[in-house]
Amino acid sequence: MRNRTPLAATLAANAISTAGTSLTLIGVPWFVLETTGSAARAGVVAFCATLPIVVAALIGGPVIDRIGRRRTAVASDAVCASAIAAIPLLHFAGALDFWVLCALMALNGFAHTPGNTARYVLIPDLAEHAGTTLPRAASLFDAVSRGARMVGAALAGVLIAFAGAETALLLDAATFGLSALLVAAGVRGVRAAEPQKAEAPVSLRGYGTELREGYTYLLGNRLLLAVVVMVMFMNGTDQGWYAVLLPVHAEAELGGATAIGLLTALFGAGGLTGALLYGAVGHRFSRRAVFTVCVVLCGAPRFLVAAVTGTTLPLAVTMLLGGIAGGVLNPILTTVVYEQVPDRLRSRVSGALTAGCEFAMPLGGLAAGLLVEGAGATGALLAMGGVYFLATLSPLVFPSWRTLGDGPVAEEARQAPKPDDASPAPPPVSGSEPSPAPPVGGSEPLLPSPGSGSGAPRVSSSGPSRPTGGPSASRPRP
């Protein structure tokens, strides 16, 4: 029987959590600039917030399976709510030293990643429970995330302007709590959400074996590896944009936090439009052609426009159009990963994908802060935009991207033994090619990104991914 409640609860929790993420994505950098006046310190906070995300993704996949996806998501949200709420409360008490702020953001990043990944990897199973198709569920997940990000960004700009960054952070802490309640109550009884390895003994050797399976699968799949490398550079530069470059540019040229909220909301509106358009008509066009065009348009132009203009309108138009292009990317990446990763490796491969896609995020925020201090805001924008543009040329250059348009049928056909080949098909984990895609609910997403979440190979959802969940959307914090 169809049961849409778990999918609806997860989508609602993700929407509330993502809207709250926009508050922190804008609130924390603005809070640091207001209290310290230093772009370099804003970069240090971004580094402290994102490095634990990568660490958690590197080692967290088997933990999610053992604890259970529902329990992991609830515990993660509870810890994040406490960490974010402590920032304004300690500030009001006069006890928020800079190192304490860095430590709280690090705790938030480390705790957030497993929960975000746990929610994301449930989507195939929840789609099957709800009786909907996987591409539709993936597009809906991304569209809801982007709509929530748009609303959250607009709210953040207004809240910070009229009530201060501290109020925005308290509201974000409340969104974590509500997200935890929705998952705890709405995802009960879903078998895939419960512990998958409860009967296996806990040992360092066994844990290492499980962890290695995820990385072996990723390293053996050339397309997924190419996706991870490209998205890694995109998410790194996006982190520099949202954590440092956009706040500095808005403070100097655009009139303050309200402009940040407006621009981020427009990007979210474009992303929502792009995701819905792809969900409605994307199947009519070549997957690879659409992805190649949109990935070039989604990010680099905004760096250039911000570098050469000092007014809001040109950047607003650029971010709206870039958002539309970016909104197409994550549904494509999510569908590709769902098609190619088998169910039993879901959490482990997702953790490997998330770690790879977010690997450059800590350095992105730190590099942006140091570039602003050393080369000025314009030089930093041009340098980071150049890196972004070069990364997005990857689908035009590397042969592994040619298989992006292959669906599960093509993949299965490629791996089937030839009529004159008596040898069996290769095993699903360690071969150089991915295994045939399982049915709906049988594979998994990729990554998170700045302002998005974890779980699937996604381009920063503040920018074009969370993947990710991964992945995503989603909430990698500023």
Side-chain angles (χ1 to χ4, degrees):
M1 293 181 62
R2 295 182 180 181
N3 183 2
R4 295 188 174 92
T5 299
L7 179 60
T10 302
L11 291 175
N14 190 64
I16 293 168
S17 176
T18 302
T21 296
S22 295
L23 300 176
T24 297
L25 183 67
I26 296 173
V28 169
W30 195 258
F31 176 78
V32 176
L33 288 175
E34 276 190 329
T35 55
T36 69
S38 169
R41 283 203 164 194
V44 170
V45 172
F47 176 83
C48 293
T50 50
L51 180 61
I53 293 176
V54 178
V55 174
L58 282 168
I59 64 175
V63 173
I64 296 171
D65 284 339
R66 290 180 179 275
I67 296 176
R69 292 161 186 168
R70 185 174 69 90
R71 294 176 187 173
T72 299
V74 172
S76 169
D77 281 341
V79 173
C80 291
S82 301
I84 293 298
I87 295 174
L89 295 178
L90 289 174
H91 177 68
F92 292 142
L96 185 66
D97 294 330
F98 183 70
W99 73 267
V100 175
L101 173 61
C102 291
L104 289 171
M105 291 303 295
L107 174 62
N108 175 74
F110 187 81
H112 167 72
T113 300
N116 201 42
T117 301
R119 282 192 301 269
Y120 195 90
V121 299
L122 276 171
I123 293 300
D125 297 281
L126 301 184
E128 189 174 33
H129 273 266
T132 189
T133 65
L134 181 54
R136 182 173 297 174
S139 295
L140 183 60
F141 187 89
D142 195 61
V144 168
S145 298
R146 291 180 180 277
R149 191 167 296 108
M150 173 184 65
V151 173
L155 180 60
V158 174
L159 268 179
I160 293 171
F162 292 99
E166 299 87 349
T167 302
L169 295 179
L170 286 173
L171 182 57
D172 185 28
T175 65
F176 271 119
L178 185 53
S179 173
L181 289 174
L182 282 169
V183 173
V187 191
R188 284 184 180 277
V190 176
R191 187 174 181 180
E194 300 308 318
Q196 303 295 303
K197 298 283 185 179
E199 75 288 350
V202 178
S203 71
L204 186 60
R205 183 175 181 178
Y207 184 89
T209 299
E210 293 172 16
L211 199 61
R212 188 165 56 251
E213 281 186 313
Y215 285 94
T216 298
Y217 189 91
L218 173 59
L219 293 174
N221 188 306
R222 294 180 181 179
L223 174 60
L224 293 186
L225 194 58
V227 169
V228 166
V229 172
M230 183 191 72
V231 175
M232 176 182 70
F233 283 101
M234 294 172 71
N235 281 347
T237 48
D238 262 323
Q239 177 69 8
W241 169 263
Y242 281 97
V244 179
L245 298 178
L246 181 57
V248 167
H249 182 63
E251 185 182 42
E253 305 285 352
L254 306 181
T258 305
I260 302 177
L262 171 64
L263 293 170
T264 308
L266 285 172
F267 194 95
L272 173 61
T273 303
L276 293 174
L277 281 174
Y278 185 79
V281 300
H283 61 280
R284 300 178 183 176
F285 304 96
S286 163
R287 184 190 288 177
R288 185 187 175 207
V290 171
F291 185 89
T292 301
V293 172
C294 289
V295 78
V296 173
L297 297 177
C298 70
R302 65 186 130 107
F303 289 85
L304 177 62
V305 171
V308 300
T309 65
T311 55
T312 303
L313 182 59
L315 186 55
V317 173
T318 303
M319 290 195 70
L320 177 63
L321 296 177
I324 293 173
V328 172
L329 302 182
N330 283 344
I332 294 177
L333 292 179
T334 299
T335 302
V336 167
V337 177
Y338 281 146
E339 288 173 350
Q340 298 204 18
V341 182
D343 177 69
R344 73 180 191 87
L345 295 178
R346 183 175 303 176
S347 297
R348 280 166 271 172
V349 176
S350 180
L353 291 168
T354 296
C357 290
E358 294 186 343
F359 188 78
M361 284 172 57
L363 297 178
L366 186 61
L370 295 177
L371 278 171
V372 170
E373 296 283 344
T378 300
L381 284 164
L382 291 174
M384 299 290 279
V387 172
Y388 205 115
F389 177 69
L390 290 175
T392 57
L393 294 179
S394 172
L396 292 170
V397 175
F398 296 106
S400 54
W401 286 93
R402 293 171 187 166
T403 59
L404 181 66
D406 293 351
V409 174
E411 186 63 42
E412 187 171 353
R414 182 164 57 246
Q415 293 193 30
K418 301 290 189 298
D420 58 346
D421 185 0
S423 61
V429 177
S430 59
S432 61
E433 292 292 330
S435 62
V440 173
S443 36
E444 132 172 32
L446 222 17
L447 131 144
S449 48
S452 90
S454 285
R458 2 180 1 94
V459 183
S460 150
S461 10
S462 350
S465 214
R466 282 190 305 297
T468 266
S472 251
S474 176
R475 330 148 66 119
R477 321 295 278 184

